[in-house]
Amino acid sequence: MTNAKSFSEVSVSKIYKEQIVETDDVLAVEEPLEIRIGFVQENNIRKHQAISITMRTPGDDFELAVGFLFTEGIIKFYKQIKDVKHCGKIGKVGFQNTVRVDLQNDVEVDFKKLERHFYTTSSCGVCGKTSIEALQTGATKIENDDFVVESDLIHELPSKLLEKQSVFERTGGLHASALFDKNGVLDILREDVGRHNALDKIIGAKFLANKTPLSDKILLLSGRISFELVQKTLMAGIPIIVAVGSPSSLAVELAEEFNITLIGFVRDGRFNIYTGKHRII
């Protein structure tokens, strides 16, 4: 799909001490995306159902929808997808803001998971979920301890990310997620007003390319590390998470439980290894 415009210009009054300057400012766009799935019921009738509404930066919406369904455990394999497309106008959400993922006829839908409908804001994708156990559905411990990287490479990743954050450079208002290989070569980068959306976009892109699990990649996050981001990383099989910000206590607990290397505060020539230090040389 073609990326939508991810920034907009607005008129502002800038105050410099006692001076007022009328000028334009650039803002990151935030709009709702309704994610729907199409599936076949027992009576062979195909229906579609809304799963979530998330506030996101337009662009890469197919990747976002598929990544969300995958990291939520609703789909597991690339072959389960029949089609991904924009829907017609449904409810209050317009054509370009509604994506439907049609599943193959033989895919069984877990209605208990579908009952966990929730409204996802741009800052918190975990709202409305009831327990840690529900988030860990289908997750397995990451075993590839042979995937190791040098500490010098970790120091280099934030600057490599910033060089490629085109929308952030203009607005200063977006989160980013990126995948690197063990040599520090950038594989894929996505930006969004929601940190969980940016991660779903890169995971969705890899899922649609039938390239999951991502057991040979390093994930870099532009901000803090929440429990939800570790959960999504776990579902994608990524062994190393690196972030400019700090992790939450639950993020560290989950990373420790599932053998994920978790690194935070990568800045000014330093970083903290919270879990999985055996992967860092």
Side-chain angles (χ1 to χ4, degrees):
M1 64 173 295
T2 302
N3 285 2
K5 189 174 182 180
S6 52
F7 57 88
S8 64
E9 294 184 356
V10 296
S11 298
V12 297
S13 300
K14 290 191 175 182
I15 310 301
Y16 298 96
K17 295 183 178 179
E18 296 182 356
Q19 291 184 328
I20 300 177
V21 177
E22 303 298 332
T23 185
D24 292 329
D25 197 9
V26 179
L27 302 179
V29 173
E30 183 177 30
E31 292 181 356
L33 176 70
E34 182 178 78
I35 300 172
R36 305 179 71 86
I37 63 168
F39 55 94
V40 174
Q41 292 182 310
E42 293 180 358
N43 54 6
N44 291 323
I45 296 177
R46 178 167 286 276
K47 65 175 294 186
H48 49 91
Q49 181 171 332
I51 301 301
S52 177
I53 295 179
T54 183
M55 301 302 296
R56 97 304 187 194
T57 300
D60 307 304
D61 288 341
F62 290 1
E63 298 174 356
L64 171 56
V66 170
F68 173 83
L69 294 178
F70 174 54
T71 58
E72 287 298 308
I74 296 172
I75 57 176
K76 295 182 179 180
F77 307 106
Y78 168 76
K79 292 182 179 180
Q80 291 178 310
I81 297 177
K82 183 177 182 179
D83 191 20
V84 185
K85 58 189 175 184
H86 284 112
C87 296
K89 291 185 177 180
I90 299 175
K92 296 181 180 180
V93 182
F95 177 82
Q96 293 298 324
N97 286 337
T98 304
V99 169
R100 189 172 89 203
V101 180
D102 285 330
L103 305 181
Q104 297 289 352
N105 294 354
D106 59 349
V107 177
E108 295 184 5
V109 178
D110 188 336
F111 286 92
K112 289 185 178 180
K113 288 180 180 177
L114 298 188
E115 288 173 359
R116 299 197 341 258
H117 292 184
F118 51 85
Y119 174 82
T120 309
T121 70
S122 60
S123 60
C124 177
V126 77
C127 302
K129 296 178 183 176
T130 57
S131 67
I132 292 176
E133 289 77 14
L135 285 172
Q136 294 176 349
T137 300
T140 57
K141 187 175 181 180
I142 293 179
E143 300 290 353
N144 56 329
D145 291 336
D146 292 336
F147 183 75
V148 296
V149 299
E150 297 184 2
S151 60
D152 288 346
L153 184 147
I154 301 297
H155 292 299
E156 297 171 358
L157 295 183
S159 60
K160 290 184 177 182
L161 175 66
L162 193 57
E163 288 175 2
K164 300 296 183 179
Q165 280 190 261
S166 58
V167 181
F168 178 84
E169 184 179 0
R170 300 192 64 174
T171 68
L174 290 184
H175 297 283
S177 292
L179 290 180
F180 292 84
D181 67 16
K182 66 181 300 181
N183 297 314
V185 177
L186 177 65
D187 181 357
I188 185 172
L189 163 69
R190 294 291 183 266
E191 295 178 287
D192 200 279
V193 288
R195 54 175 59 88
H196 61 287
N197 289 336
L199 181 52
D200 275 339
K201 286 179 177 181
I202 64 170
I203 293 175
K206 289 298 183 180
F207 187 87
L208 284 170
N210 199 22
K211 293 183 178 180
T212 54
L214 302 168
S215 56
D216 59 347
K217 301 297 180 185
I218 304 165
L219 171 65
L220 177 62
L221 304 172
S222 63
R224 63 181 179 85
I225 314 169
S226 66
F227 170 84
E228 183 203 19
L229 296 183
V230 176
Q231 178 262 333
K232 290 179 179 294
T233 303
L234 173 61
M235 295 297 285
I238 303 171
I240 300 176
I241 303 175
V242 178
V244 176
S246 65
S248 68
S249 60
L250 274 179
V252 173
E253 288 179 26
L254 186 64
E256 181 71 35
E257 179 180 354
F258 285 91
N259 194 32
I260 294 174
T261 298
L262 190 62
I263 299 173
F265 289 113
V266 185
R267 61 182 74 164
D268 303 324
R270 62 181 176 86
F271 59 80
N272 296 342
I273 303 176
Y274 293 89
T275 63
K277 64 180 181 181
H278 57 281
R279 291 195 181 95
I280 308 302
I281 301 173

